[in-house]
Each structure stands twice: as C-alpha cells, then as structure tokens.
Amino acid sequence: MVNFLIFGPPGSGKGTQSVRLAEKFNLLHLSTGDMLRAEITAGTALGKKMSLIMSKGELVPDEVVIEMIAHKIDHSKGSAGFLFDGFPRTVAQTISLEKMLNERGMKIDQMLVLDVDHDELVKRLIARAELSGRPDDKDPAVIENRIDVYKEKTEPIINYCNEKGLYQPVKGMGTIDDIFKRLNDYMKKLV
Ligand code: ADP
C-alpha cells in the first residue's frame, strides 16, 4: 500500500486532481469534504450539525473526520493505497492518521502540496460556485476565512511532514493537464 496526502489551500485543485490520480494509480480517493457533503445531502443528524460550521468556512471537529476516515480505511479492499484529499487539516488529525495507518502496518508515504497564488485561488473558487452550487464558494468573506483557516490550522502540517522527509511541493498553476503531469511524475516513483 502506498498512501499519499494531497494538500493545498481551498481552490488549489486537490479534488480535481485526486479523482484523476486515484483512477490512474488505483488508489482509493478519500475526501472528507465529499463525505461531509454527502451527510448533508442525505439529511443525517451529523450532516445537519456540520453544515453550519462548513457554511462559515470553519473546520468541523477533529473527531468527526477521524471517525469517518477510520471507517473508510477499515471497509476498503482492492486498492493500491489511499489518496487523502482535504484530510488531515490539523496537526492533531495528522497524528491520528499516522497512528491509524501504523496500527494497520501502513504509513503516510508522501505529501504533495499544490502551490497556487492567492488571487488565483479566489478566482477559481468564485468560478466553481457557479457549477458546484457550494454555499461556501459563493461568499467572498467565507472564501477568505477558509484560506485564513488553512494558513493557521492546516499549513503547520507541512512543517510536521517536512521534518519526516515527506514534503513534496508541486507547482499548482497552469492547466489541469500540466498539474496532473507534475503530480503524476512524483507519484509514479512510489507506486
Ligand atoms: P476545500 O478544499 O475547497 O475547502 P473541502 O471539500 O475539502 O473543500 O472542505 C469543505 C469544508 O468541509 C471545509 O471548509 C470544512 O468546513 C469541512 N472539512 C472538510 N474536511 C475537513 C477536515 N479534515 N477537518 C475539518 N473540517 C473539514
């Protein structure tokens, strides 16, 4: 099993690239954002509780996403590894993920971080709002808050992973195909 974190601020293209990379390398794509939105769409009690937090651009509690991921890891079969997208988002989530993987004889093998300019992020998210209908993409203040939350709570994971030799920055500007090729070139060395 080879396990990757795909990392970067909101709008950096993690989701788009993850779908393609998961298919190419037979990885299971695990997006906590998608899982949470599925709960909201299904109208579950958890979804109802989380939707307000998400609409403000804040992070849902660590234990909620950790439990979701643990469940997926234990109910998956047949993939060459996992591609974690939008998870972990805090150092505490990272430590939990490492523990979960270690207990199952696995580890985080690489963290790929998409670097994208701030103005480009905002532009992409506003454009995406038209198609996705995601409420957290519609409001510029919520977009800015998500980017701030990323810097404050999520970016410290880069240092944490860098110290373990897992950090790989990737240029996230250019066409979707260009970025896919760059990510692909790093990943194929490990899969
Ligand atoms: P984006 O990368 O565009 O912000 P996501 O789909 O990854 O989109 O996440 C949408 C929202 O879901 C986040 O703003 C946050 O409220 C919540 N969320 C997703 N993943 C996590 C996580 N690992 N920890 C806490 N909150 C999360």
Side-chain angles (χ1 to χ4, degrees):
M1 298 285 270
V2 187
N3 304 308
F4 294 95
L5 308 184
I6 183 147
F7 221 78
S12 57
K14 303 181 295 280
T16 307
Q17 297 295 341
S18 296
V19 171
R20 295 182 59 172
L21 292 163
E23 196 187 337
K24 166 97 194 255
F25 294 108
N26 183 32
L27 300 169
L28 187 67
H29 174 207
L30 296 179
S31 158
T32 42
D34 287 350
M35 293 174 204
L36 290 163
R37 281 186 290 277
E39 294 283 335
I40 295 175
T41 306
T44 65
L46 180 71
K48 286 192 181 108
K49 254 168 95 179
M50 297 307 124
S51 78
L52 182 65
I53 301 175
M54 290 168 70
S55 69
K56 292 189 209 151
E58 297 295 328
L59 296 184
V60 309
D62 286 340
E63 57 275 16
V64 170
V65 284
I66 289 166
E67 200 175 306
M68 286 177 153
I69 290 284
H71 183 83
K72 292 281 181 188
I73 289 180
D74 284 336
H75 291 83
S76 70
K77 270 197 228 103
S79 67
F82 299 110
L83 180 56
F84 296 98
D85 161 14
F87 178 89
R89 253 177 161 94
T90 61
V91 173
Q93 289 179 20
T94 315
I95 293 168
S96 293
L97 175 63
E98 282 183 306
K99 189 162 171 281
M100 248 187 271
L101 292 173
N102 290 343
E103 284 168 359
R104 292 160 179 81
M106 297 183 279
K107 59 182 173 32
I108 299 170
D109 291 284
Q110 193 169 49
M111 169 201 228
L112 297 153
V113 183
L114 291 169
D115 286 325
V116 179
D117 298 345
H118 178 273
D119 290 355
E120 174 73 14
L121 294 176
V122 177
K123 213 172 82 189
R124 287 186 192 173
L125 289 171
I126 289 171
R128 182 171 82 183
E130 300 289 319
L131 303 168
S132 71
R134 272 177 56 171
D136 57 345
D137 287 345
K138 285 210 174 85
D139 181 345
V142 173
I143 291 180
E144 289 299 338
N145 190 42
R146 283 158 64 202
I147 296 173
D148 288 348
V149 168
Y150 173 80
K151 286 192 184 138
E152 187 197 328
K153 301 207 167 123
T154 306
E155 229 169 33
I157 304 172
I158 295 181
N159 260 337
Y160 181 86
C161 285
N162 191 26
E163 280 167 14
K164 299 182 176 223
L166 301 173
Y167 168 56
Q168 178 58 61
V170 181
K171 198 175 138 211
M173 305 284 285
T175 67
I176 290 176
D177 284 344
D178 291 340
I179 302 162
F180 176 73
K181 189 170 179 316
R182 286 178 209 132
L183 289 163
N184 176 76
D185 289 347
Y186 288 115
M187 287 173 71
K188 73 178 183 208
K189 292 181 196 156
L190 295 180
V191 182

